[in-house]
Amino acid sequence: MIPRLVRPAANMGGPPNQRGRSPGGRSPGGGRDIARRREILGLAGNLSVCRDARQLCDWLTAHVGRLFPQTQLLELFVAGETPDELVAVQAPDSGVTLLSTLCAGIESLPPDQRRSGWSPKFMPHLTVPNLVWPDASRGHGGMLSAPIVARTGLLGLVVMTATPGAEEFAADDLDMLCLVAMQAAHVLQQIRKVGNAADEAWMRQDLEAAKELQRTFLPSEPRVPGLRVVADYRPAYDIGGDFYDLIDHGRGRITALVGDVSGKGIAAALLMSRISSELRQLAARNFDPQEMLVRANHWLEGQSPSHQFASVAAIDVDLRLGTARVTNAGHPSPLLRKPNGMVIRLADASGPPLGMFPSQSYGVERFRVAIGDIVVLVTDGVLEALNQSDDGVGMFSLVKLIARCDHDVDAVRKAIMSAVKNASGGLRDDATLLAFQIDELPASL
């Protein structure tokens, strides 16, 4: 159904003696009206050639403008990113001026507002068709505007201006422009649909590239003499903020790290890449876990936004001496499984996550390691997935699960990650595991 110009006479501009009749002495309707209607309907099929708003504007100018011989300018406005934004397609710089001229002739607006220029608060007046009479004092001819609407709301606006002194626009011209706007609505919806699909395709490609890039920051399972190492990383989304690393210093000494950056998605992944790189550099300089986290906290406090932080557990193992040192910055406690099935919590957090407080110090705990020992480090996503009604943080469930496993590091990994995968609540946070089993403590390493 074509929206007809049905409104109080006050919504039209112009002298009172012109309202309520067809300007220029031309009677509405008739054979000319029917011929134009048929021509507009016949042109509708050709709109499918338009691939973007600029092509649609050019098409309207070339094919519709000629149906109105008095037309001086045709401009297409499309809805912007915010509900009260209209962007001119053909001449963006003069779009606001055109809207100001249009609104200045809408008499339903208070005079002081019409003189103030375009404002988003005038938007409701543009969601209906408008016919504005010529204003010789301001040097412009008549104007027409027809909203381009869909169920989702206003998609855009078609505005036409008449050449000053030419035949004035009439109500039947506005009806014809409303018919054009209906056709344009279908095209703009299709353009948006195709554009959204293209954006989604690009986003998927970007996410795949980001996933591959992120995995370059996570080491493959390293081969260290005397150890069997396993790791598993499952982000809750395409990319995440968990990280792990194992640095082989040679001569039987390693540093194992597991961390969790606050937040999820791209922001967490970006910070993860930076802090994991910083920790690897500190470990390569042979800092012990305690000094490494102190320095990382100082670095992160000055580098990241105030609302981002990272929990980290770091273990330094010397296989020649059979000793290990653990420092924990707000992270779930690492676990040690003995060959007899006993599971020991190695070190609770000795300080808050990195990046929360400047000049933070951290404690260190020491323990002995022996042949057959299995060390397990996880992030809190594992604990959340394993959380039971009688276990507030899932640690008790994790300890029981590890105690029931066969004494093999890969069996421990499979049991934990299988339980995470099958958790009733689903994976709500990134889940990461790094574990290693000591097979020998040769003094010759």
Side-chain angles (χ1 to χ4, degrees), residues 261-262 267 270-271 274 299-310 354-356:
V261 172
S262 61
L270 290 173
L271 184 57
R274 297 176 65 194
W299 171 86
L300 184 59
E301 195 275 332
Q303 293 291 323
S304 70
S306 58
H307 62 279
Q308 284 191 299
F309 53 88
L354 306 181
M356 294 192 71

Side-chain angles (χ1 to χ4, degrees), residues 161-278:
T161 64
T163 301
E167 181 183 12
E168 299 171 10
F169 287 129
D172 58 311
D173 293 320
L174 185 57
D175 284 340
M176 293 300 102
L177 190 62
C178 287
L179 181 59
V180 171
M182 292 176 63
Q183 306 296 339
H186 296 294
V187 179
L188 279 182
Q189 289 184 89
Q190 185 62 29
I191 289 172
R192 285 191 172 191
K193 185 183 298 183
V194 172
N196 290 340
D199 289 344
E200 290 176 2
W202 278 108
M203 186 175 294
R204 285 194 297 269
Q205 292 179 14
D206 287 346
L207 284 175
E208 287 299 321
K211 286 167 64 176
E212 292 301 318
L213 180 61
Q214 185 178 44
R215 291 197 176 276
T216 64
F217 291 99
L218 302 175
S220 57
E221 296 175 0
R223 296 181 179 181
V224 180
L227 293 183
R228 278 186 292 143
V229 182
V230 296
D232 208 319
Y233 170 70
R234 300 185 187 182
Y237 300 99
D238 292 280
I239 54 178
D242 283 5
F243 62 92
Y244 66 87
D245 207 346
L246 193 144
I247 299 95
D248 182 7
H249 300 283
R251 298 184 60 79
R253 179 169 167 258
I254 65 161
T255 298
L257 299 163
V258 167
D260 180 4
V261 172
S262 61
K264 300 178 181 65
I266 294 176
L270 290 173
L271 184 57
M272 178 279 277
S273 65
R274 297 176 65 194
I275 192 170
S276 62
S277 176
E278 179 69 16

Side-chain angles (χ1 to χ4, degrees), residues 101-182:
T101 303
L102 174 66
C103 291
I106 300 177
E107 288 196 352
S108 60
L109 289 169
D112 58 331
Q113 292 186 15
R114 285 188 276 136
R115 289 192 295 266
S116 65
W118 162 249
S119 171
K121 65 184 178 182
F122 300 158
M123 188 71 77
H125 295 269
L126 301 182
T127 59
V128 296
N130 283 289
L131 169 59
V132 173
W133 304 105
D135 187 344
S137 65
R138 298 167 58 216
H140 74 74
M143 300 181 72
L144 300 176
S145 74
I148 302 173
V149 295
R151 291 182 179 179
T152 55
L154 186 69
L155 299 179
L157 185 73
V158 181
V159 177
M160 289 175 48
T161 64
T163 301
E167 181 183 12
E168 299 171 10
F169 287 129
D172 58 311
D173 293 320
L174 185 57
D175 284 340
M176 293 300 102
L177 190 62
C178 287
L179 181 59
V180 171
M182 292 176 63

